[in-house]
């Protein structure tokens, strides 16, 4: 059920066109592994049959293939240090410079919503001590299926066990059957929409903080620069960009200034263009 060289080239081109993810030669095994489940769900006998149907213009299958190749690894308060910096250093600085009295955060590449909802929990703790402030979080992802899951805000026991402390579970979730559903007080701070980071996102407000973690690693240099340019258009001067631990704006975008905040590294928009 392996994938042929022509089929791999076609899938690689489709995924790059739709998501800008660059599947380099050598990723054939990854493609095979992720597309087997798509082939089975579609009733295709093998990967060759699946790709033939995709080539024929089956839009639903094309979307399923791109969705399968998008990495949606996530957890609550993942790599906790950026969240500590958000609460202890970013929010206090934003509060002193904000003119709108609203904290706006973009969770880019939000997957099934755990990052956005983690930030919402922190803001719910912060807002009562700062009367007059409001907050909203916008989560975006290229995958329609994970956006729909984020909007449902319903998680399995295994999912809530990944990074969520017992007091947070008790404070913010209701158990429904075997699953856990976020309460309205958390959900109302967040909205989710589908979006491709390479393209300007319509309707996105100016943001104080952008979480774009463990996303740039999947792009080539030109795409990384394009994504950062789009981020600049919605991140206010003085606002903060939070990347993954292995990511940086160095040699990609001179507008961002690197800051070490304890055990976290963030990038400040210096106001340039």
């Amino acid at each position: 059920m392996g994938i042929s060289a022509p089929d791999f080239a076609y899938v690689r081109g489709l995924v790059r066109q739709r998501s800008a993810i660059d599947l380099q030669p050598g990723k054939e095994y990854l493609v095979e592994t992720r597309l087997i489940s798509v082939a089975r769900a579609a009733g295709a006998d093998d990967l060759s049959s699946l790709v033939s149907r995709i080539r024929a213009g089956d839009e639903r299958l094309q979307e399923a293939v791109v969705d399968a190749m998008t990495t949606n690894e996530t957890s609550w308060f993942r790599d906790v240090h950026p969240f500590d910096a958000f609460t202890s250093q970013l929010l206090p600085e934003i509060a002193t410079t904000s003119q709108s009295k609203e904290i706006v955060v973009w969770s880019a590449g939000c997957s099934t919503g755990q990052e956005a909802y983690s930030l919402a929990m922190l803001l719910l703790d912060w807002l009562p001590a700062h009367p007059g402030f409001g907050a909203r979080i916008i989560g975006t992802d290229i995958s329609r299926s994970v956006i729909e899951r984020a909007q449902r805000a319903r998680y399995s026991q295994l999912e809530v066990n990944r990074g969520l402390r017992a007091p947070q579970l008790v404070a913010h979730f209701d158990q429904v059957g075997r699953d856990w559903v976020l309460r309205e007080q958390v959900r109302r701070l967040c909205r989710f929409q589908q979006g491709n980071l390479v393209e300007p996102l319509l309707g996105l407000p100016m943001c104080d903080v952008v979480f774009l973690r463990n996303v740039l690693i999947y792009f080539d240099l030109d795409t990384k620069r394009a994504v950062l340019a789009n981020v600049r258009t919605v991140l206010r001067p003085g606002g903060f960009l939070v990347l993954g631990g292995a990511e940086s704006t160095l040699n990609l975008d001179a507008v961002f200034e690197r800051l070490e905040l304890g055990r976290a590294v963030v990038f400040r928009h210096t106001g340039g263009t």
Side-chain angles (χ1 to χ4, degrees), residues 135-149:
R136 56 176 163 157
I137 301 161
I138 301 94
T140 68
D141 200 280
I142 195 170
S143 169
R144 180 180 288 109
S145 64
V146 300
I147 287 295
E148 291 171 351
R149 284 211 57 215

Side-chain angles (χ1 to χ4, degrees), residues 41-140:
D45 294 332
D46 51 29
L47 294 185
S48 178
S49 298
L50 176 71
V51 175
S52 292
R53 288 169 58 181
I54 297 168
R55 288 177 184 270
D58 190 319
E59 181 66 27
R60 183 185 61 82
L61 277 182
Q62 290 178 356
E63 184 172 329
V65 166
V66 175
D67 194 31
M69 296 313 305
T70 303
T71 300
N72 292 309
E73 172 66 21
T74 189
S75 61
W76 305 94
F77 301 97
R78 185 180 181 186
D79 307 324
V80 64
H81 304 302
F83 294 95
D84 290 342
F86 177 74
T87 301
S88 64
Q89 296 179 271
L90 301 191
L91 283 178
E93 180 162 341
I94 293 166
T96 63
T97 59
S98 174
Q99 297 180 351
S100 67
K101 298 298 181 181
E102 181 182 46
I103 310 296
V104 182
V105 185
W106 177 17
S107 173
C110 66
S111 187
T112 46
Q114 284 92 325
E115 179 179 84
Y117 288 132
S118 295
L119 292 165
M121 292 178 201
L122 295 178
L123 283 164
L124 282 174
D125 291 338
W126 183 85
L127 286 170
H130 298 82
F133 273 90
R136 56 176 163 157
I137 301 161
I138 301 94
T140 68

Side-chain angles (χ1 to χ4, degrees), residues 146-167:
V146 300
I147 287 295
E148 291 171 351
R149 284 211 57 215
Q151 291 169 333
R152 288 196 294 270
R154 183 170 183 143
Y155 300 93
S156 68
Q157 184 68 56
L158 178 62
E159 287 172 320
V160 298
N161 285 345
R162 298 193 64 198
L164 203 62
R165 301 186 187 96

Side-chain angles (χ1 to χ4, degrees), residues 5-270:
D7 284 350
F8 173 76
Y10 178 81
V11 170
R12 179 188 180 192
L14 174 68
V15 171
R16 182 172 177 80
Q17 178 188 25
R18 295 289 186 92
S19 71
I21 293 173
D22 188 18
L23 295 170
Q24 290 290 326
K27 297 286 187 179
E28 287 86 352
Y29 177 76
L30 174 67
V31 172
E32 291 170 7
T33 301
R34 295 194 178 180
L35 293 192
I36 285 173
S37 60
V38 177
R40 288 172 178 163
D45 294 332
D46 51 29
L47 294 185
S48 178
S49 298
L50 176 71
V51 175
S52 292
R53 288 169 58 181
I54 297 168
R55 288 177 184 270
D58 190 319
E59 181 66 27
R60 183 185 61 82
L61 277 182
Q62 290 178 356
E63 184 172 329
V65 166
V66 175
D67 194 31
M69 296 313 305
T70 303
T71 300
N72 292 309
E73 172 66 21
T74 189
S75 61
W76 305 94
F77 301 97
R78 185 180 181 186
D79 307 324
V80 64
H81 304 302
F83 294 95
D84 290 342
F86 177 74
T87 301
S88 64
Q89 296 179 271
L90 301 191
L91 283 178
E93 180 162 341
I94 293 166
T96 63
T97 59
S98 174
Q99 297 180 351
S100 67
K101 298 298 181 181
E102 181 182 46
I103 310 296
V104 182
V105 185
W106 177 17
S107 173
C110 66
S111 187
T112 46
Q114 284 92 325
E115 179 179 84
Y117 288 132
S118 295
L119 292 165
M121 292 178 201
L122 295 178
L123 283 164
L124 282 174
D125 291 338
W126 183 85
L127 286 170
H130 298 82
F133 273 90
R136 56 176 163 157
I137 301 161
I138 301 94
T140 68
D141 200 280
I142 195 170
S143 169
R144 180 180 288 109
S145 64
V146 300
I147 287 295
E148 291 171 351
R149 284 211 57 215
Q151 291 169 333
R152 288 196 294 270
R154 183 170 183 143
Y155 300 93
S156 68
Q157 184 68 56
L158 178 62
E159 287 172 320
V160 298
N161 285 345
R162 298 193 64 198
L164 203 62
R165 301 186 187 96
Q168 294 164 331
L169 184 63
V170 171
H172 299 300
F173 288 80
D174 293 313
Q175 190 167 17
V176 180
R178 295 184 177 182
D179 294 337
W180 295 87
V181 179
L182 268 164
R183 293 177 183 157
E184 182 60 26
Q185 62 181 1
V186 182
R187 298 175 68 169
R188 67 178 173 229
L189 292 183
C190 302
R191 72 172 172 86
F192 297 93
Q193 67 183 65
Q194 188 179 17
N196 188 333
L197 291 170
V198 181
E199 302 170 356
L201 291 178
L202 300 177
L204 205 66
M206 291 300 294
C207 300
D208 299 291
V209 185
V210 176
F211 273 67
L212 178 68
R213 304 175 64 217
N214 306 304
V215 175
L216 293 180
I217 54 175
Y218 297 104
F219 300 143
D220 62 24
L221 285 176
D222 287 341
T223 305
K224 289 176 183 179
R225 292 188 178 105
V227 170
L228 289 173
N230 283 337
V231 168
R232 276 195 277 110
T233 65
V234 297
L235 182 62
R236 69 171 179 82
F240 300 96
L241 170 63
V242 183
L243 300 178
E247 297 170 322
S248 174
T249 62
L250 183 65
N251 298 323
L252 295 174
D253 198 318
V255 163
F256 292 99
E257 172 192 14
R258 185 178 186 273
L259 302 175
E260 293 188 18
L261 304 179
R263 298 181 66 180
V265 174
V266 304
F267 302 83
R268 189 204 306 267
H269 187 334
T270 60

